Amino acid sequence: MNQQRSRRYRTSKDNEIAEAEESRLRREFEIAGKPVLPRQESEVSDSNIITPGTVFMHELSKALESSIDQRLQNDIGWIYLICIVIYSSPCRD
């Protein structure tokens, strides 16, 4: 648990350092007249949400289950497939 916590803290700190460095380089390039591409924002702003037991993972599991069920019922290519999905949450009844 402590190892995971320290890894998350270190990742957060590393992200802050990387963002500061990117900002510095962008200013430097703009001053030098070099073209600077616009910033690209990540779809997942906090990578810690991709952790078992979070709301994000629960919603992802529900969406995945729904998509697989729909394909198994309606897609002829999936008729003879056996699909095994292992969720991060506790077993369901």
Side-chain angles (χ1 to χ4, degrees), residues 46-57:
D46 180 8
S47 62
N48 290 332
I49 66 171
I50 308 175
T51 302
T54 61
V55 174
F56 174 82
M57 289 303 287

Side-chain angles (χ1 to χ4, degrees), residues 18-84:
E19 193 172 317
E21 180 67 10
E22 181 182 356
S23 295
R24 184 189 68 77
L25 287 172
R26 285 179 171 282
R27 281 193 307 272
E28 213 174 274
F29 283 12
E30 287 172 354
I31 291 170
K34 296 179 182 178
V36 179
L37 295 174
R39 279 185 191 254
Q40 291 184 344
E41 294 297 323
S42 171
E43 289 183 23
V44 178
S45 59
D46 180 8
S47 62
N48 290 332
I49 66 171
I50 308 175
T51 302
T54 61
V55 174
F56 174 82
M57 289 303 287
H58 177 69
E59 294 297 319
L60 179 63
S61 296
K62 286 191 330 188
L64 182 61
E65 185 175 20
S66 172
S67 175
I68 291 171
D69 285 345
Q70 182 181 9
R71 286 180 188 229
L72 286 170
Q73 292 175 10
N74 302 322
D75 190 334
I76 197 161
W78 286 57
I79 289 177
Y80 299 107
L81 289 178
I82 296 174
C83 190
I84 300 171

Side-chain angles (χ1 to χ4, degrees), residues 4-15 48:
Q4 185 178 15
R5 190 177 300 126
S6 65
R7 189 172 39 242
R8 285 182 180 169
Y9 173 78
R10 187 174 53 247
T11 299
S12 177
K13 193 67 174 166
D14 289 347
N15 288 342
N48 290 332

